[in-house]
Amino acid sequence: MPDALAQPVRSGEPAPPKPNVVVAVLAFAGIVVSLMQTVVIPIVPELPTLLHADAADAAWAITATLLAAAVATPVVGRLGDMYGKRRMLLLSLVLLVAGAVLCALSDSLTLMVVGRVLQGLAAGVIPLGISIMRDELPAERLGTATAMMSASLGIGGALGLPAAAFIADNFHWQTLFWVSAAIGAIGTCLVFALVPESGVRTGGRFDGVGAVGMAVGLVCLLLAISKGADWGWGSGTTLGLFTAAVVVLIGWGFFELRIAAPLVDLRTTARRQVLVTNIASMAFGFSMFAMSLVLPQLLQLPEATGYGLGKSMLTVGLVMAPQGLVMMACAPVSAALSAAKGPKTTLMAGALIVAAGYGLNIVMMSEVWQLVLVSCIIGAGVGFAYGAMPSLIMGAVDPSETAAANSLNTLMRSIGTSTASAVAGVILAQLTTDFAGHALPSENSFKIVMAIGAGASLLSFVVAAFIPRRRPLSTSDPAVHETAEPSALVDVPAPKV
């Protein structure tokens, strides 16, 4: 009897999970998903020719993924809490592989868009992976593991870009998607074989009406943000979508508050720690995307402009690749700082580091090594902040709501990045300089975008200051990981010193 109590084993599990294996496999799955977001970047300028479509229509290969990811992330998170996080993670990875295969076989815009939608539906893998870690790992491993899983989004993007550029330059463009499908299949098999299913479930019925309402509201909002520059910000279509988004999301909110088992528990979301963390995450997502837009353009613009560096897409990938390694290296440091000072401090530190990186970029943008340095500094800040966000969310919600809460936080970051893309696009399109008869973004336009990125990061710092100070989940109560009881206490005030 004492041995059984010391080493609890849940029904259906042949043996306790091996922490190192679980962390490695889930982090790999997160990197696989983030690779899918960057794999298409090297061929974006060629999509109209490759798919026999005009440039505006070909852009749907990017927009469709964004919309699908926004809708799928909170829905899959809720389904994971209800029916099994590993089950939904596997389904997401299968959809990702199917989407990659469809893109590899496509010779038309329609098939490409459908494939990219399927890939976007896999965006919930990272919040699902973090939630599995909370349920399965020992308390002392949770902080570092969740920091690594959260950072995998940036790691995969940074490492995937040079690989995608190399493949696009040396092989047929469809090889990009065949390689992606193969990597995705490996990730799926590893999760199936090595990751246990969590026994923490909410049960209940799925809120289908809430899912449809949220999907309609988010699609209207993100479509208006992402396509507003093309359609015109004052056009009837853009304004109509913004209006529809406001009306639908307000109605959806009232509906969610009236039912017993909502898709998103808005009362939990309104808790100060969750609400403020999500607001800070949105501002941080805005800040992070500015770098992804500015650095590649600076590197590729002609040297004759006086500020462009005239480099290839492969060089762009190699310049940004060290950022992913820095984020990976920062994961254990982020976890250690959160354990010592709390995840609130880690998030604020990350925001300051990113702001410093952008400030440095404003005065250092004339050499490749300077952009590598800036990319690494910003990557370090992102690694700190992304490692802290899941801990802040999990420290304020019940274990049975972890996947849904983390998915909503991921969605907030995505809304921030989408908004940054729209704002930066307007600035770069309006502040131009003439070069050989072509309008190119001016040097000042890049500096303004970087200044706005720094400002957004500082805004995230200020917002994060209002997060109540809590102990990180990984040190709050090891019993959470042993009992798998939905009623386990996780919102514990930090001891007074």
Side-chain angles (χ1 to χ4, degrees):
M1 181 66 69
D3 291 339
L5 292 175
Q7 188 68 34
V9 178
R10 295 177 189 145
S11 176
E13 290 185 9
K18 298 178 180 179
N20 290 337
V21 173
V22 172
V23 172
V25 171
L26 291 176
F28 178 74
I31 291 173
V32 167
V33 170
S34 63
L35 285 172
M36 299 304 169
Q37 308 306 314
T38 58
V39 69
V40 75
I41 291 178
I43 61 171
V44 165
E46 303 173 23
L47 281 178
T49 302
L50 297 174
L51 302 177
H52 314 292
D54 59 46
D57 290 338
W60 282 101
I62 308 298
T63 306
T65 307
L66 166 70
L67 299 179
V71 172
T73 300
V75 171
V76 170
R78 176 62 177 159
L79 289 172
D81 283 334
M82 293 177 64
Y83 302 117
K85 303 175 182 71
R86 173 179 177 269
R87 180 177 299 173
M88 297 311 301
L89 192 150
L90 284 170
L91 176 61
S92 298
L93 289 172
V94 168
L95 291 174
L96 184 146
V97 173
V101 171
L102 193 58
C103 289
L105 296 173
S106 66
D107 58 0
S108 68
L109 179 62
T110 301
L111 286 178
M112 175 66 77
V113 169
V114 173
R116 293 292 291 167
V117 166
L118 291 176
Q119 290 185 311
L121 294 177
V125 163
I126 290 176
L128 285 170
I130 292 172
S131 303
I132 291 173
M133 288 176 175
R134 181 185 191 181
D135 296 342
E136 300 299 329
L137 296 182
E140 65 273 10
R141 291 295 310 276
L142 186 59
T144 302
T146 56
M148 180 66 73
M149 187 70 192
S150 188
S152 66
L153 179 63
I155 294 169
L159 300 181
L161 186 57
F166 175 80
I167 293 173
D169 286 344
N170 294 278
F171 301 93
H172 193 277
W173 67 272
Q174 291 169 322
T175 305
L176 286 169
F177 295 102
W178 285 121
V179 172
S180 301
I183 296 174
I186 293 172
T188 304
C189 293
L190 290 174
V191 170
F192 180 80
L194 301 172
V195 176
E197 179 60 272
S198 167
V200 182
R201 310 266 180 97
T202 60
R205 298 179 60 182
F206 180 69
D207 176 19
V209 175
V212 172
M214 185 198 65
V216 171
L218 286 177
V219 167
C220 289
L221 175 64
L222 293 174
L223 197 55
I225 291 173
S226 60
K227 304 294 285 186
D230 296 331
W231 295 338
W233 294 105
S235 69
T237 302
T238 303
L239 295 177
L241 285 171
F242 275 126
T243 302
V246 172
V247 172
V248 171
L249 290 175
I250 289 176
W252 170 78
F254 279 114
F255 176 80
E256 294 293 281
L257 290 171
R258 293 174 62 89
I259 64 174
L263 176 72
V264 177
D265 188 341
L266 295 180
R267 292 181 176 85
T268 298
T269 304
R271 293 176 187 170
R272 182 178 168 189
Q273 181 160 328
V274 178
L275 177 63
V276 178
T277 300
N278 282 334
I279 295 173
S281 299
M282 190 183 304
F284 197 85
F286 186 105
S287 173
M288 185 190 72
F289 189 79
M291 177 200 62
S292 302
L293 191 65
V294 168
L295 263 62
Q297 292 199 55
L298 281 174
L299 285 162
Q300 292 183 89
L301 284 174
E303 289 185 81
T305 59
Y307 51 90
L309 300 178
K311 304 301 180 181
S312 66
M313 177 58 73
L314 178 58
T315 302
V316 172
L318 293 174
V319 167
M320 300 187 72
Q323 178 197 42
L325 302 177
V326 170
M327 291 178 67
M328 187 183 301
C330 284
V333 181
S334 170
L337 180 59
S338 292
K341 300 295 184 180
K344 170 184 174 178
T345 300
T346 307
L347 175 57
M348 295 175 70
L352 285 179
I353 294 171
V354 170
Y358 279 119
L360 194 62
N361 199 186
I362 293 174
V363 297
M364 294 180 61
M365 51 186 288
S366 60
E367 300 287 344
V368 170
W369 70 266
Q370 294 175 351
L371 298 185
V372 172
L373 175 63
V374 166
S375 175
C376 289
I377 292 173
I378 294 175
V382 172
F384 271 71
Y386 272 22
M389 290 172 191
S391 295
L392 287 165
I393 294 297
M394 292 188 295
V397 302
D398 191 277
S400 62
E401 300 173 337
T402 302
N406 277 322
S407 296
L408 184 62
N409 181 254
T410 301
L411 174 62
M412 292 299 102
R413 281 185 260 169
S414 298
I415 292 175
T417 57
S418 301
T419 306
S421 176
V423 171
V426 169
I427 294 171
L428 296 178
Q430 295 297 319
L431 301 178
T432 61
T433 184
D434 182 75
F435 178 77
H438 299 282
L440 298 179
S442 67
E443 183 177 11
N444 284 336
S445 70
F446 289 118
K447 291 183 177 182
I448 290 173
V449 170
M450 289 183 284
I452 292 175
S457 191
L458 291 175
L459 175 61
S460 178
F461 172 84
V462 172
V463 172
F466 291 92
I467 298 173
R469 192 170 293 277
R470 295 280 192 259
R471 283 212 314 262
L473 177 70
S474 59
T475 59
S476 60
D477 187 359
V480 170
H481 305 284
E482 296 177 358
T483 62
E485 290 292 333
S487 60
L489 297 177
V490 295
D491 192 6
V492 183
K496 295 181 180 179
V497 180

mmCIF file of all heavy atoms in Angstrom, residues 146-180:
data_model
loop_
_atom_site.group_PDB
_atom_site.id
_atom_site.type_symbol
_atom_site.label_atom_id
_atom_site.label_comp_id
_atom_site.label_asym_id
_atom_site.label_seq_id
_atom_site.Cartn_x
_atom_site.Cartn_y
_atom_site.Cartn_z
ATOM 1 N N THR A 146 7.406 23.955 -19.817
ATOM 2 C CA THR A 146 6.423 24.840 -20.447
ATOM 3 C C THR A 146 7.106 26.017 -21.141
ATOM 4 O O THR A 146 6.636 26.489 -22.185
ATOM 5 C CB THR A 146 5.406 25.351 -19.424
ATOM 6 O OG1 THR A 146 6.094 25.996 -18.335
ATOM 7 C CG2 THR A 146 4.553 24.224 -18.892
ATOM 8 N N ALA A 147 8.211 26.495 -20.575
ATOM 9 C CA ALA A 147 8.955 27.572 -21.236
ATOM 10 C C ALA A 147 9.490 27.096 -22.583
ATOM 11 O O ALA A 147 9.422 27.812 -23.586
ATOM 12 C CB ALA A 147 10.096 28.038 -20.343
ATOM 13 N N MET A 148 10.012 25.873 -22.631
ATOM 14 C CA MET A 148 10.517 25.325 -23.880
ATOM 15 C C MET A 148 9.392 25.119 -24.886
ATOM 16 O O MET A 148 9.522 25.450 -26.069
ATOM 17 C CB MET A 148 11.218 23.991 -23.609
ATOM 18 C CG MET A 148 11.793 23.318 -24.856
ATOM 19 S SD MET A 148 13.146 24.262 -25.583
ATOM 20 C CE MET A 148 14.427 23.939 -24.374
ATOM 21 N N MET A 149 8.252 24.604 -24.421
ATOM 22 C CA MET A 149 7.125 24.360 -25.323
ATOM 23 C C MET A 149 6.585 25.671 -25.877
ATOM 24 O O MET A 149 6.284 25.786 -27.067
ATOM 25 C CB MET A 149 6.014 23.617 -24.567
ATOM 26 C CG MET A 149 4.854 23.164 -25.443
ATOM 27 S SD MET A 149 5.358 21.818 -26.536
ATOM 28 C CE MET A 149 3.957 21.748 -27.657
ATOM 29 N N SER A 150 6.459 26.663 -25.028
ATOM 30 C CA SER A 150 5.944 27.949 -25.468
ATOM 31 C C SER A 150 6.896 28.607 -26.459
ATOM 32 O O SER A 150 6.467 29.236 -27.439
ATOM 33 C CB SER A 150 5.729 28.867 -24.264
ATOM 34 O OG SER A 150 5.064 30.054 -24.633
ATOM 35 N N ALA A 151 8.203 28.467 -26.231
ATOM 36 C CA ALA A 151 9.197 29.070 -27.121
ATOM 37 C C ALA A 151 9.335 28.318 -28.432
ATOM 38 O O ALA A 151 9.924 28.849 -29.381
ATOM 39 C CB ALA A 151 10.551 29.121 -26.422
ATOM 40 N N SER A 152 8.783 27.098 -28.514
ATOM 41 C CA SER A 152 8.942 26.306 -29.735
ATOM 42 C C SER A 152 8.326 26.997 -30.940
ATOM 43 O O SER A 152 8.748 26.763 -32.079
ATOM 44 C CB SER A 152 8.326 24.906 -29.545
ATOM 45 O OG SER A 152 6.917 24.984 -29.394
ATOM 46 N N LEU A 153 7.330 27.853 -30.717
ATOM 47 C CA LEU A 153 6.734 28.591 -31.830
ATOM 48 C C LEU A 153 7.775 29.458 -32.521
ATOM 49 O O LEU A 153 7.894 29.468 -33.750
ATOM 50 C CB LEU A 153 5.581 29.461 -31.320
ATOM 51 C CG LEU A 153 4.866 30.306 -32.376
ATOM 52 C CD1 LEU A 153 4.203 29.408 -33.408
ATOM 53 C CD2 LEU A 153 3.822 31.211 -31.723
ATOM 54 N N GLY A 154 8.563 30.178 -31.749
ATOM 55 C CA GLY A 154 9.611 31.011 -32.338
ATOM 56 C C GLY A 154 10.798 30.197 -32.816
ATOM 57 O O GLY A 154 11.425 30.530 -33.826
ATOM 58 N N ILE A 155 11.113 29.119 -32.087
ATOM 59 C CA ILE A 155 12.258 28.286 -32.470
ATOM 60 C C ILE A 155 12.039 27.676 -33.848
ATOM 61 O O ILE A 155 12.899 27.741 -34.730
ATOM 62 C CB ILE A 155 12.483 27.186 -31.418
ATOM 63 C CG1 ILE A 155 12.898 27.799 -30.081
ATOM 64 C CG2 ILE A 155 13.553 26.206 -31.901
ATOM 65 C CD1 ILE A 155 12.889 26.800 -28.936
ATOM 66 N N GLY A 156 10.868 27.099 -34.056
ATOM 67 C CA GLY A 156 10.578 26.476 -35.345
ATOM 68 C C GLY A 156 10.577 27.483 -36.474
ATOM 69 O O GLY A 156 11.077 27.205 -37.575
ATOM 70 N N GLY A 157 10.022 28.669 -36.203
ATOM 71 C CA GLY A 157 10.001 29.693 -37.234
ATOM 72 C C GLY A 157 11.390 30.152 -37.623
ATOM 73 O O GLY A 157 11.710 30.313 -38.812
ATOM 74 N N ALA A 158 12.252 30.353 -36.628
ATOM 75 C CA ALA A 158 13.602 30.850 -36.912
ATOM 76 C C ALA A 158 14.453 29.795 -37.614
ATOM 77 O O ALA A 158 15.203 30.107 -38.544
ATOM 78 C CB ALA A 158 14.271 31.284 -35.614
ATOM 79 N N LEU A 159 14.349 28.551 -37.193
ATOM 80 C CA LEU A 159 15.157 27.500 -37.798
ATOM 81 C C LEU A 159 14.581 27.026 -39.124
ATOM 82 O O LEU A 159 15.314 26.549 -40.003
ATOM 83 C CB LEU A 159 15.276 26.312 -36.836
ATOM 84 C CG LEU A 159 15.932 26.604 -35.488
ATOM 85 C CD1 LEU A 159 16.014 25.331 -34.643
ATOM 86 C CD2 LEU A 159 17.329 27.197 -35.670
ATOM 87 N N GLY A 160 13.272 27.155 -39.275
ATOM 88 C CA GLY A 160 12.630 26.673 -40.493
ATOM 89 C C GLY A 160 12.835 27.574 -41.688
ATOM 90 O O GLY A 160 12.852 27.105 -42.844
ATOM 91 N N LEU A 161 13.007 28.869 -41.457
ATOM 92 C CA LEU A 161 13.126 29.804 -42.572
ATOM 93 C C LEU A 161 14.356 29.534 -43.441
ATOM 94 O O LEU A 161 14.235 29.466 -44.679
ATOM 95 C CB LEU A 161 13.130 31.237 -42.043
ATOM 96 C CG LEU A 161 13.095 32.341 -43.098
ATOM 97 C CD1 LEU A 161 11.885 32.185 -44.007
ATOM 98 C CD2 LEU A 161 13.086 33.719 -42.433
ATOM 99 N N PRO A 162 15.556 29.372 -42.874
ATOM 100 C CA PRO A 162 16.700 29.069 -43.759
ATOM 101 C C PRO A 162 16.561 27.732 -44.461
ATOM 102 O O PRO A 162 16.960 27.594 -45.629
ATOM 103 C CB PRO A 162 17.903 29.089 -42.804
ATOM 104 C CG PRO A 162 17.339 28.892 -41.441
ATOM 105 C CD PRO A 162 15.979 29.515 -41.473
ATOM 106 N N ALA A 163 15.983 26.728 -43.769
ATOM 107 C CA ALA A 163 15.790 25.426 -44.415
ATOM 108 C C ALA A 163 14.809 25.535 -45.574
ATOM 109 O O ALA A 163 15.037 24.976 -46.665
ATOM 110 C CB ALA A 163 15.286 24.411 -43.386
ATOM 111 N N ALA A 164 13.716 26.279 -45.359
ATOM 112 C CA ALA A 164 12.735 26.453 -46.426
ATOM 113 C C ALA A 164 13.332 27.223 -47.599
ATOM 114 O O ALA A 164 13.070 26.900 -48.767
ATOM 115 C CB ALA A 164 11.502 27.176 -45.871
ATOM 116 N N ALA A 165 14.134 28.253 -47.301
ATOM 117 C CA ALA A 165 14.759 29.036 -48.369
ATOM 118 C C ALA A 165 15.728 28.168 -49.183
ATOM 119 O O ALA A 165 15.782 28.263 -50.422
ATOM 120 C CB ALA A 165 15.485 30.232 -47.775
ATOM 121 N N PHE A 166 16.488 27.320 -48.512
ATOM 122 C CA PHE A 166 17.427 26.434 -49.211
ATOM 123 C C PHE A 166 16.683 25.471 -50.129
ATOM 124 O O PHE A 166 17.070 25.268 -51.292
ATOM 125 C CB PHE A 166 18.257 25.657 -48.193
ATOM 126 C CG PHE A 166 19.168 24.639 -48.811
ATOM 127 C CD1 PHE A 166 20.381 25.020 -49.377
ATOM 128 C CD2 PHE A 166 18.816 23.298 -48.850
ATOM 129 C CE1 PHE A 166 21.225 24.083 -49.964
ATOM 130 C CE2 PHE A 166 19.647 22.355 -49.433
ATOM 131 C CZ PHE A 166 20.853 22.753 -49.990
ATOM 132 N N ILE A 167 15.597 24.884 -49.617
ATOM 133 C CA ILE A 167 14.825 23.932 -50.437
ATOM 134 C C ILE A 167 14.197 24.647 -51.626
ATOM 135 O O ILE A 167 14.215 24.144 -52.755
ATOM 136 C CB ILE A 167 13.749 23.250 -49.572
ATOM 137 C CG1 ILE A 167 14.409 22.347 -48.524
ATOM 138 C CG2 ILE A 167 12.800 22.425 -50.445
ATOM 139 C CD1 ILE A 167 13.442 21.767 -47.516
ATOM 140 N N ALA A 168 13.624 25.834 -51.386
ATOM 141 C CA ALA A 168 12.977 26.571 -52.468
ATOM 142 C C ALA A 168 13.973 26.979 -53.546
ATOM 143 O O ALA A 168 13.626 27.014 -54.732
ATOM 144 C CB ALA A 168 12.276 27.803 -51.904
ATOM 145 N N ASP A 169 15.217 27.274 -53.155
ATOM 146 C CA ASP A 169 16.235 27.703 -54.125
ATOM 147 C C ASP A 169 16.805 26.542 -54.941
ATOM 148 O O ASP A 169 17.282 26.749 -56.061
ATOM 149 C CB ASP A 169 17.383 28.409 -53.401
ATOM 150 C CG ASP A 169 16.998 29.795 -52.925
ATOM 151 O OD1 ASP A 169 15.977 30.328 -53.403
ATOM 152 O OD2 ASP A 169 17.720 30.350 -52.066
ATOM 153 N N ASN A 170 16.762 25.341 -54.378
ATOM 154 C CA ASN A 170 17.470 24.226 -55.013
ATOM 155 C C ASN A 170 16.577 23.084 -55.487
ATOM 156 O O ASN A 170 17.052 22.183 -56.186
ATOM 157 C CB ASN A 170 18.509 23.655 -54.031
ATOM 158 C CG ASN A 170 19.620 24.646 -53.728
ATOM 159 O OD1 ASN A 170 20.566 24.784 -54.487
ATOM 160 N ND2 ASN A 170 19.490 25.350 -52.602
ATOM 161 N N PHE A 171 15.301 23.103 -55.126
ATOM 162 C CA PHE A 171 14.410 22.014 -55.518
ATOM 163 C C PHE A 171 13.082 22.594 -55.998
ATOM 164 O O PHE A 171 12.847 23.788 -55.910
ATOM 165 C CB PHE A 171 14.175 21.061 -54.337
ATOM 166 C CG PHE A 171 15.427 20.433 -53.797
ATOM 167 C CD1 PHE A 171 16.108 21.014 -52.730
ATOM 168 C CD2 PHE A 171 15.951 19.277 -54.357
ATOM 169 C CE1 PHE A 171 17.267 20.458 -52.218
ATOM 170 C CE2 PHE A 171 17.122 18.710 -53.862
ATOM 171 C CZ PHE A 171 17.778 19.294 -52.788
ATOM 172 N N HIS A 172 12.208 21.730 -56.476
ATOM 173 C CA HIS A 172 10.878 22.158 -56.888
ATOM 174 C C HIS A 172 10.118 22.669 -55.674
ATOM 175 O O HIS A 172 10.259 22.131 -54.566
ATOM 176 C CB HIS A 172 10.131 20.982 -57.522
ATOM 177 C CG HIS A 172 8.885 21.381 -58.258
ATOM 178 N ND1 HIS A 172 7.677 21.576 -57.626
ATOM 179 C CD2 HIS A 172 8.678 21.639 -59.573
ATOM 180 C CE1 HIS A 172 6.765 21.925 -58.520
ATOM 181 N NE2 HIS A 172 7.346 21.973 -59.712
ATOM 182 N N TRP A 173 9.273 23.683 -55.865
ATOM 183 C CA TRP A 173 8.611 24.316 -54.723
ATOM 184 C C TRP A 173 7.740 23.345 -53.938
ATOM 185 O O TRP A 173 7.580 23.480 -52.716
ATOM 186 C CB TRP A 173 7.779 25.516 -55.188
ATOM 187 C CG TRP A 173 6.585 25.176 -56.038
ATOM 188 C CD1 TRP A 173 6.550 25.029 -57.392
ATOM 189 C CD2 TRP A 173 5.243 24.948 -55.568
ATOM 190 N NE1 TRP A 173 5.292 24.723 -57.817
ATOM 191 C CE2 TRP A 173 4.462 24.677 -56.716
ATOM 192 C CE3 TRP A 173 4.634 24.948 -54.324
ATOM 193 C CZ2 TRP A 173 3.096 24.398 -56.651
ATOM 194 C CZ3 TRP A 173 3.266 24.680 -54.243
ATOM 195 C CH2 TRP A 173 2.508 24.412 -55.390
ATOM 196 N N GLN A 174 7.185 22.337 -54.613
ATOM 197 C CA GLN A 174 6.322 21.389 -53.902
ATOM 198 C C GLN A 174 7.106 20.509 -52.927
ATOM 199 O O GLN A 174 6.528 19.918 -52.007
ATOM 200 C CB GLN A 174 5.564 20.530 -54.912
ATOM 201 C CG GLN A 174 4.515 21.341 -55.687
ATOM 202 C CD GLN A 174 3.932 20.585 -56.857
ATOM 203 O OE1 GLN A 174 4.646 19.847 -57.537
ATOM 204 N NE2 GLN A 174 2.642 20.767 -57.107
ATOM 205 N N THR A 175 8.442 20.435 -53.115
ATOM 206 C CA THR A 175 9.272 19.682 -52.173
ATOM 207 C C THR A 175 9.158 20.257 -50.767
ATOM 208 O O THR A 175 9.263 19.514 -49.772
ATOM 209 C CB THR A 175 10.743 19.719 -52.635
ATOM 210 O OG1 THR A 175 10.841 19.254 -53.974
ATOM 211 C CG2 THR A 175 11.626 18.860 -51.742
ATOM 212 N N LEU A 176 8.945 21.558 -50.655
ATOM 213 C CA LEU A 176 8.751 22.171 -49.338
ATOM 214 C C LEU A 176 7.666 21.460 -48.550
ATOM 215 O O LEU A 176 7.819 21.160 -47.361
ATOM 216 C CB LEU A 176 8.374 23.649 -49.500
ATOM 217 C CG LEU A 176 9.468 24.638 -49.905
ATOM 218 C CD1 LEU A 176 8.852 25.979 -50.263
ATOM 219 C CD2 LEU A 176 10.463 24.798 -48.762
ATOM 220 N N PHE A 177 6.563 21.171 -49.217
ATOM 221 C CA PHE A 177 5.419 20.590 -48.519
ATOM 222 C C PHE A 177 5.582 19.086 -48.311
ATOM 223 O O PHE A 177 5.092 18.529 -47.325
ATOM 224 C CB PHE A 177 4.136 20.903 -49.291
ATOM 225 C CG PHE A 177 3.828 22.376 -49.325
ATOM 226 C CD1 PHE A 177 4.089 23.137 -50.452
ATOM 227 C CD2 PHE A 177 3.311 23.010 -48.198
ATOM 228 C CE1 PHE A 177 3.818 24.490 -50.481
ATOM 229 C CE2 PHE A 177 3.038 24.375 -48.220
ATOM 230 C CZ PHE A 177 3.292 25.111 -49.358
ATOM 231 N N TRP A 178 6.289 18.408 -49.247
ATOM 232 C CA TRP A 178 6.550 16.987 -49.013
ATOM 233 C C TRP A 178 7.461 16.800 -47.793
ATOM 234 O O TRP A 178 7.240 15.900 -46.971
ATOM 235 C CB TRP A 178 7.197 16.353 -50.250
ATOM 236 C CG TRP A 178 6.254 16.121 -51.391
ATOM 237 C CD1 TRP A 178 6.342 16.629 -52.651
ATOM 238 C CD2 TRP A 178 5.086 15.299 -51.377
ATOM 239 N NE1 TRP A 178 5.301 16.196 -53.428
ATOM 240 C CE2 TRP A 178 4.509 15.370 -52.668
ATOM 241 C CE3 TRP A 178 4.461 14.524 -50.404
ATOM 242 C CZ2 TRP A 178 3.340 14.693 -53.005
ATOM 243 C CZ3 TRP A 178 3.287 13.846 -50.736
ATOM 244 C CH2 TRP A 178 2.742 13.929 -52.016
ATOM 245 N N VAL A 179 8.469 17.637 -47.667
ATOM 246 C CA VAL A 179 9.351 17.570 -46.498
ATOM 247 C C VAL A 179 8.559 17.897 -45.231
ATOM 248 O O VAL A 179 8.712 17.232 -44.193
ATOM 249 C CB VAL A 179 10.540 18.531 -46.659
ATOM 250 C CG1 VAL A 179 11.353 18.610 -45.368
ATOM 251 C CG2 VAL A 179 11.437 18.086 -47.816
ATOM 252 N N SER A 180 7.698 18.899 -45.314
ATOM 253 C CA SER A 180 6.868 19.261 -44.160
ATOM 254 C C SER A 180 5.969 18.105 -43.753
ATOM 255 O O SER A 180 5.793 17.823 -42.562
ATOM 256 C CB SER A 180 6.025 20.492 -44.494
ATOM 257 O OG SER A 180 6.815 21.588 -44.834
#
